[in-house]
Amino acid sequence: MRLLILSRSGELYSTRSLFTAARRRNHFVRIVDHLGCDLLIENGANKVFYNGQSLIGYDAVIPRIGHTVTGQGAAVIRHFESMGLLTTISADALIRARDKMSCLQVLSHKGIPVPTTVMVNTYAEIHHLHKKIVAYPKILKVLSGTHGLGVLKADDEQSLIVMMEAFYNLKQKMIVQEFIAESSGHDIRAFVVNGEIVASMMRTAPEGEFRSNLHRGGHGKPVLLSPHEREVAIEATRLLDLPVAGVDMLRSNRGPLVIEVNASPGLEGIETVTKVDVAKKIILYLESRRKGSI
Ligand code: ADP
């Protein structure tokens, strides 16, 4: 196959890993910066230009789109989709997955367990709606946050209100969530490719921290998921139309709770911790889609 990886840099671990896996499977592969792509819509014949050259003759695209450029990245993916290329994520799925509240809405509506969550849009409700969650501490999340930045713990009402007011003033969309005390400092990342869990790890926060993100100093170890956890993770990716995704879950007293589904999951943490060649699984998935379409 002829593959394109959309990435800001070939030096990034995930990009390199995908590039290597594709070459090992004897595919032609090229890395293209999505921010350098220009799009032409002409009489229904869409084209993508990169450095002034039309990108033609490719079979599939593997987007690695960062949070800050979701809209622009999605426009490029949509163009490739319209040109008939396979993709590991559709533009629509990327946009929806990037909105934490939308994800939780879809998942909860379809019966996937998630923590009780409140979205406050009006100043008046800053003082009220969060009371639907009774116990303290409560978690406050900025919707645009990633890598644990913008996830805070409020120990009492006074600090919660102060934080919410600050975010409101900064025009940041936010959610308040019940704090899952029994999983504090731990979460589970299940890496799903094409409806299969290909690798899973438990992340543990450093001493004194409740956020277990590896970017916040957490460390990971391989973990065996229960059949129910596997089922929940796989179903979450199916509902969000994400053939490649990292599903983050908390182990609570009432079973697994999905906190986030990552649409552009990094490979460094999961491959280093589990020693699974996740990039290869992604390439094999594209190969199977290609076979299916011939
Ligand atoms: P991000 O997308 O920024 O990583 P998350 O929602 O995944 O934000 O939260 C970051 C970390 O904070 C999680 O990995 C988990 O360790 C912790 N966390 C998030 N939500 C809760 C919660 N409701 N209860 C307890 N811990 C939580």
Side-chain angles (χ1 to χ4, degrees):
M1 278 199 284
R2 286 171 60 85
L3 305 177
L4 283 172
I5 300 175
L6 297 183
S7 169
R8 296 302 323 278
S9 162
E11 298 301 310
L12 298 169
Y13 178 98
S14 302
T15 306
R16 257 189 299 126
S17 191
L18 287 161
F19 186 88
T20 308
R23 291 293 287 269
R24 283 205 189 113
R25 299 284 305 165
N26 293 321
H27 299 299
F28 175 84
V29 55
R30 181 171 175 193
I31 298 165
V32 160
D33 180 355
H34 35 287
L35 296 194
C37 289
D38 299 301
L39 311 178
L40 170 72
I41 300 173
E42 189 183 44
N43 292 334
N46 288 353
K47 285 187 181 139
V48 178
F49 288 87
Y50 190 64
N51 292 333
Q53 283 184 335
S54 175
L55 293 173
I56 46 171
Y58 289 91
D59 302 297
V61 59
I62 306 176
R64 301 282 320 160
I65 311 290
H67 278 251
T68 52
V69 293
T70 300
Q72 209 173 333
V76 176
I77 298 172
R78 198 181 306 286
H79 229 71
F80 281 123
E81 285 180 90
S82 74
M83 292 161 61
L85 271 72
L86 297 172
T87 176
T88 51
I89 183 167
S90 73
D92 287 342
L94 174 67
I95 289 170
R96 186 172 52 196
R98 280 289 153 83
D99 182 335
K100 282 186 195 197
M101 191 64 182
S102 300
C103 283
L104 293 178
Q105 282 172 321
V106 171
L107 297 178
S108 161
H109 178 64
K110 299 284 183 184
I112 298 289
V114 303
T116 303
T117 303
V118 163
M119 185 176 192
V120 178
N121 291 320
T122 62
Y123 186 76
E125 283 306 327
I126 283 181
H127 297 269
H128 301 295
L129 198 58
H130 69 86
K131 290 181 181 155
K132 294 276 175 206
I133 300 160
V134 178
Y136 279 92
K138 295 181 192 179
I139 296 288
L140 180 62
K141 295 186 188 181
V142 183
L143 283 184
S144 55
T146 180
H147 299 326
L149 298 172
V151 179
L152 299 101
K153 190 163 63 142
D155 290 320
D156 52 44
E157 176 147 347
Q158 198 186 0
S159 34
L160 179 69
I161 300 287
V162 168
M163 291 176 201
M164 288 172 87
E165 283 181 340
F167 287 142
Y168 182 83
N169 201 34
L170 292 167
K171 298 190 171 26
Q172 289 288 332
K173 288 192 168 179
M174 58 187 143
I175 55 178
V176 181
Q177 206 162 63
E178 65 172 317
F179 177 61
I180 308 301
E182 60 273 25
S183 78
S184 182
H186 301 279
D187 78 350
I188 287 173
R189 159 66 56 100
F191 205 109
V192 182
V193 179
N194 196 19
E196 243 180 76
I197 311 263
V198 297
S200 50
M201 65 176 164
M202 173 177 279
R203 293 175 295 203
T204 300
E207 190 67 26
E209 171 62 76
F210 74 96
R211 298 166 301 173
S212 48
N213 306 68
L214 300 183
H215 288 92
R216 303 274 70 76
H219 71 269
K221 63 173 198 283
V223 70
L224 213 59
L225 302 186
S226 71
H228 185 43
E229 287 166 343
R230 303 176 77 83
E231 198 185 311
V232 164
I234 291 167
E235 185 62 3
T237 63
R238 198 185 65 76
L239 291 170
L240 295 171
D241 191 21
L242 294 171
V244 175
V247 182
D248 293 344
M249 295 180 284
L250 300 179
R251 279 184 167 161
S252 81
N253 292 337
R254 55 185 199 268
L257 300 174
V258 174
I259 50 169
E260 197 183 9
V261 182
N262 196 318
S264 201
L267 301 184
E268 185 168 12
I270 195 85
E271 288 193 339
T272 310
V273 167
T274 65
K275 310 279 180 267
V276 175
D277 188 348
V278 176
K280 181 178 171 186
K281 306 274 184 190
I282 295 171
I283 303 299
L284 292 176
Y285 159 66
L286 281 174
E287 289 177 14
S288 73
R289 288 269 314 271
R290 169 105 166 122
K291 264 199 210 112
S293 67
I294 288 173

